Amino acid sequence: QGGFGAPLARHAGKVKRVSASVATFGVGYGVCWAQGREESASQLLYCAAALSWTGFTGGLRRLGQSLPEQAEWPLAKIMQVEAKELRVLAKMVASSAETGHDSATLRRILLGRVCKIAEVDPLGPAARGLVEKTETEGDTAPDAPVDSWSTLQELAALLDDSTQAVAQLSGYAPGAGERALIQPLSAAMQAIVSAGGPQWHEELGCCGVLHIAHAAAVATLWLAAARRASSMAASP
């Protein structure tokens, strides 16, 4: 215990700083962002909450990467939070839709996070958290066995649903926010397919393949619109 007690004390301070900075960022971002935007105050609050959550989980992930392997308990707790990241974020978005506060901006936040996680680790804790649950609390069990096919299918479904929602709420007329998602979306789809291996179509199943194709169709639409806009801007 003494071997990593001092590092844990230092990292505990990091957690406090991360939590405080994330909370300040979320509130400040929502207040500043409200000027000149079409979203209502309630919609902006949902966006601020989503950004705060992703900032918090991202901070914990970086903290976990710096902890020694002997720190098994804190590492396990951090992994549990990681496993809830996408599930909690998706529930925030669903709640906003149910209460009439859905927005393209909030959907872009979710899609951006799904893309990042899919690109970095499509079979990691955050992706597995979409599938795994314990028998008692319904929380993710990060050390439980998991089928890669079920994880990839759930991740592909969330990627597709988020992409379609962004497209619909933006009226299928991609703006700067959608154009910025083209590359991350492409990278996410490639990572999911690569994680499935040579038999990726079997790993994803029919539904998973359709989800990827559906999301790819929207990405193609956005790319074509971006190229048209660039051509028009370049023409005399």
Side-chain angles (χ1 to χ4, degrees):
Q1 181 176 358
F4 59 87
L8 284 181
R10 292 195 299 271
H11 292 308
K14 289 185 181 180
V15 172
K16 293 180 180 179
R17 291 194 295 273
V18 166
S19 300
S21 61
V22 164
T24 303
F25 169 76
V27 175
Y29 191 87
V31 172
C32 296
W33 201 15
Q35 300 180 359
R37 295 199 61 87
E38 296 180 357
E39 290 88 352
S40 67
S42 297
Q43 288 173 322
L44 289 174
L45 284 176
Y46 271 105
C47 292
L51 287 169
S52 295
W53 171 247
T54 58
F56 175 69
T57 53
L60 284 182
R61 182 179 293 105
R62 289 189 292 273
L63 173 62
Q65 293 170 350
S66 66
L67 285 173
E69 294 182 359
Q70 299 92 324
E72 297 179 359
W73 182 85
L75 285 173
K77 293 302 179 182
I78 290 174
M79 189 173 292
Q80 286 180 356
V81 175
E82 282 189 60
K84 296 178 181 179
E85 179 176 359
L86 286 182
R87 196 164 72 240
V88 170
L89 188 57
K91 286 181 178 180
M92 285 185 189
V93 174
S95 175
S96 73
E98 291 171 359
T99 56
H101 298 121
D102 202 359
S103 69
T105 302
L106 181 60
R107 296 287 183 164
R108 283 194 292 267
I109 293 172
L110 173 58
L111 177 56
R113 199 61 197 150
V114 174
C115 289
K116 183 64 176 179
I117 287 173
E119 181 182 1
V120 173
D121 195 357
L123 292 173
R128 295 203 314 267
L130 295 171
V131 181
E132 298 173 281
K133 298 181 186 300
T134 63
E135 296 180 357
T136 55
E137 299 178 343
D139 289 336
T140 296
D143 56 346
V146 58
D147 294 324
S148 60
W149 63 267
S150 57
T151 299
L152 293 176
Q153 286 179 1
E154 289 295 329
L155 188 59
L158 183 57
L159 183 73
D160 179 27
D161 291 345
S162 302
T163 302
Q164 302 306 321
V166 170
Q168 291 171 8
L169 287 169
S170 62
Y172 290 93
E178 287 73 34
R179 291 194 295 270
L181 286 168
I182 295 174
Q183 193 280 329
L185 180 56
S186 300
M189 291 186 290
Q190 179 62 46
I192 292 174
V193 170
S194 297
Q199 304 298 322
W200 64 270
H201 54 286
E202 295 182 5
E203 286 286 301
L204 285 171
C206 292
C207 290
V209 172
L210 287 174
H211 283 307
I212 293 297
H214 205 195
V218 174
T220 302
L221 175 67
W222 288 347
L223 180 60
R227 287 180 173 176
R228 283 197 302 270
S230 298
S231 297
M232 292 177 63
S235 61

